[in-house]
Amino acid sequence: MGAKFKVHGDLRSGNCLKVKWVADHLGLEYEWHDVDVMAGETRTEAFLTTVNPAGQIPALVWPDGRRLAQSNAILRYLARGSVLLPDDPFVMAKVDEWLFWEQYSHEPYVAVARFLMLYRGESAAARPADLVARGESALDFMERALAEAPMLVGSTPTIADVALLAYTRVAHEGGFSLAFRPNTQRWISECESALGIAPIGKKELQ
Ligand SMILES: N[C@@H](CCC(=O)N[C@@H](CS)C(=O)NCC(=O)O)C(=O)O
């Protein structure tokens, strides 16, 4: 894997936790550097020039100056050659299918609703109706997929599961309920157990 890299991230952010979970599960050596988004730390001149010109976390920086951003691109890179990203071209493409879907059809609704409530202190009732409808629809889509198969791709967790786990397990913090989504609840518990992540808890999944 090469030299120890630095992960710039925030442990409250699902996008950042994805990276931590994969690095920890694979036993990679890294240094974690906490970044406070709400304090504007991703927009300083130093951050933009030395970490990520796009002003976002997670972002990886290597001692030789190489940098990598976008959570799912980072997952793909860190997990290459491991059980989390099987080496079969079609399986890889199915993993990518979920990674792109997560960033376009799930995270912009489920994670943004959480941001509004958790970071901005807004109420569930104040969430925009379209955001709620799209978030519910994303969670329904996952519930249907997980009725058909143990994991999103195949029978053991891949980075597709890691990417979707990040904001799905805390969907309640964005005002969504998993109470009537038993397949999703089962999948969350199995992913947490397989990845060695402390369980979010039954109450939170209701
Ligand atoms: N598509 C990006 C999204 C990254 C993102 O939205 N990061 C947030 C924290 S979760 C951030 O850095 N926000 C700070 C800002 O935009 O100024 C990814 O998957 O890494």
Side-chain angles (χ1 to χ4, degrees):
M1 178 59 60
K4 189 166 163 178
F5 53 89
K6 194 181 260 193
V7 182
H8 295 259
D10 174 346
L11 292 174
R12 290 175 304 174
S13 151
N15 284 323
C16 298
L17 281 174
K18 293 173 189 177
V19 173
K20 184 176 182 342
W21 291 338
V22 166
D24 288 344
H25 188 68
L26 298 177
L28 306 179
E29 274 203 75
Y30 66 93
E31 191 183 319
W32 183 271
H33 179 78
D34 265 321
V35 176
D36 187 345
V37 168
M38 298 310 278
E41 289 179 9
T42 52
R43 300 291 162 167
T44 64
E45 191 59 28
F47 185 93
L48 296 172
T49 51
T50 64
V51 180
N52 181 7
Q56 289 181 325
I57 49 171
L60 267 49
V61 180
W62 278 264
D64 63 8
R66 284 178 304 143
R67 299 178 294 190
L68 186 61
Q70 290 296 329
S71 57
N72 291 350
I74 295 170
L75 296 197
R76 281 191 110 274
Y77 180 70
L78 296 183
R80 72 197 190 284
S82 81
V83 289
L84 296 178
L85 184 56
D87 196 21
D88 174 275
F90 191 72
V91 174
M92 267 191 192
K94 292 303 287 182
V95 168
D96 287 343
E97 187 178 320
W98 280 109
L99 296 181
F100 286 108
W101 181 81
E102 188 261 348
Q103 285 287 295
Y104 192 77
S105 302
H106 183 288
E107 194 259 14
Y109 310 111
V110 178
V112 169
R114 177 176 180 258
F115 177 81
L116 295 176
M117 291 179 62
L118 198 66
Y119 288 67
R120 294 229 180 118
E122 295 179 14
S123 70
R127 296 170 303 163
D130 188 51
L131 182 99
V132 174
R134 286 170 183 263
E136 295 286 357
S137 159
L139 293 170
D140 285 343
F141 182 71
M142 286 184 68
E143 176 66 13
R144 287 196 298 276
L146 291 166
E148 306 290 323
M151 293 287 144
L152 295 175
V153 181
S155 55
T156 58
T158 65
I159 54 171
D161 300 287
V162 174
L164 267 312
L165 183 67
Y167 289 108
T168 304
R169 75 198 282 267
V170 289
H172 60 282
E173 294 176 349
F176 299 100
S177 171
L178 299 180
F180 302 102
R181 293 176 170 123
N183 299 302
T184 305
Q185 290 191 34
R186 185 261 315 148
W187 167 81
I188 288 172
S189 300
E190 288 178 12
C191 286
E192 288 170 340
S193 156
L195 296 165
I197 299 167
I200 191 76
K202 272 267 173 226
K203 187 167 61 69
E204 281 69 22
L205 297 182
Q206 297 307 305

